[in-house]
Amino acid sequence: MAEESSTNRPASILLPLLFAVIIGAWTEVVRPSFHAPLPTSTTIDGIDFPETLNKNLALVGGGTRSKLGLFKVYAAGIYIDKKSGFKDLNKLLDGKEEADDKFYSQIATSKYGKAIRLEFHRQISAETMEEALDEALSTRLEKESREKFNNALHDVLPDDEVPKGMEVTLVCKGDNVLVGSSYSDAKPSVKDKAVCSALFDVYIGKNPVSPEIKEGFGASALSKVSDK
C-alpha cells in the first residue's frame, strides 16, 4: 500500500498545478483591455483609431497632444460625415498643395456630423484633463457654455485618474455635442450651438493646443483628396 501511494504522488501534485496554469492563462486572455484590436483601424502615433465612428463618420487624421514637448498626453483623431464632410473636403482642397485657414474654419463651423476622439498615451489626473480643456475653451466660449460642457465631461471621467488607453469621444450632431468615454456608460448631451465649433477650434483653429494634431489632420485630408 505504501508503494502504491508513492507511485501516485507526482500525479496528485502535477494535476492541481496544471489546472492552475490553465485557469491563469484563461484569466489572462479574457482580461478586459482599453487596447482591444479594432476590426478596421488607422494608427495615429502608435494608437489604433477606428476608421468609422457611429456608422456615418469617417476618420480623416490627427496627431498627438504633448505637454511642453516633453511627454505625450493623448492622440486625437478627427472624424467628419462620410458624405457631406468629404464633399466639403474635395471642394475646399481640390488642386491645393496645403490646407489653408479657410479649410480649417469651414470644417470647424460646419453643421454636418463630426467628432473628435482622444486616446490617452499615459495616465493623467482627471482634474488636469478637465482644467486643460476648460482653459483652452476660456477664450472661445462664454462661461455658461463652458460650464455645460465641463459638467458633461466630468460625468464621463473617473473621479481620480484617467488611465492610459482610455478613450474620450466628442460627437457633434447639429447644435448638440454628445460626450462619451470608454470608462463610463453615460452619454451626456450638451445642447449649445457654440460648443462644437469651439471644440474644433481648439484643435484645428488659428491657435490650436497642438499644431501636430492640426497639421496631421490637414495632411491626411490632402492625401485623401489626391487619392481620388
Side-chain angles (χ1 to χ4, degrees):
M1 292 295 292
E3 185 177 346
E4 181 180 352
S5 174
S6 174
T7 304
N8 291 335
R9 189 176 296 121
S12 65
I13 295 172
L14 289 174
L15 283 175
L17 288 175
L18 181 60
F19 181 73
V21 169
I22 293 171
I23 291 299
W26 178 81
T27 303
E28 184 66 30
V29 169
V30 300
R31 183 178 296 136
S33 169
F34 286 116
H35 289 296
L38 300 167
T40 309
S41 62
T42 295
T43 301
I44 297 176
D45 200 8
I47 295 180
D48 288 337
F49 282 75
E51 291 185 2
T52 301
L53 204 61
N54 292 1
K55 296 183 179 180
N56 64 316
L57 302 178
L59 177 65
V60 178
T64 285
R65 168 81 164 108
S66 300
K67 186 67 174 177
L68 303 176
L70 298 175
F71 56 85
K72 299 174 181 180
V73 182
Y74 57 78
I78 297 177
Y79 295 74
I80 61 175
D81 184 82
K82 290 180 178 180
K83 294 181 179 179
S84 301
F86 275 79
K87 183 178 180 180
D88 233 7
L89 216 70
N90 289 312
K91 181 176 70 175
L92 291 165
L93 294 178
D94 189 31
K96 299 258 180 97
E97 293 186 0
E98 63 179 21
D100 55 17
D101 288 342
K102 181 181 178 182
F103 163 72
Y104 291 114
S105 177
Q106 176 67 23
I107 297 297
T109 58
S110 64
K111 291 299 182 182
Y112 46 72
K114 52 185 184 281
I116 300 166
R117 181 182 174 105
L118 312 178
E119 299 200 24
F120 287 80
H121 280 287
R122 62 190 299 116
Q123 176 177 294
I124 66 168
S125 79
E127 183 179 4
T128 297
M129 168 66 182
E130 292 179 47
E131 289 178 350
L133 260 180
D134 183 60
E135 181 181 354
L137 290 169
S138 64
T139 58
R140 296 171 167 92
L141 278 178
E142 297 293 333
K143 183 179 180 180
E144 183 179 351
S145 298
R146 288 204 325 273
E147 287 178 349
K148 289 181 188 177
F149 174 75
N150 291 342
N151 289 338
L153 180 64
H154 182 79
D155 285 346
V156 303
L157 295 182
D159 292 331
D160 45 12
E161 302 290 327
V162 173
K164 176 182 178 180
M166 200 183 95
E167 303 148 9
V168 173
T169 54
L170 310 169
V171 181
C172 299
K173 292 184 176 181
D175 290 338
N176 291 328
V177 177
L178 303 177
V179 182
S181 78
S182 56
Y183 168 79
S184 172
D185 291 331
K187 292 280 189 295
S189 175
V190 182
K191 186 171 177 58
D192 189 312
K193 63 182 180 181
V195 172
C196 181
S197 57
L199 285 169
F200 270 78
D201 191 69
V202 166
Y203 292 101
I204 61 172
K206 289 186 177 181
N207 297 296
V209 294
S210 169
E212 183 182 335
I213 294 173
K214 178 179 178 178
E215 291 164 8
F217 171 70
S220 294
L222 277 169
S223 71
K224 290 181 183 300
V225 171
S226 63
D227 288 345
K228 290 187 178 296

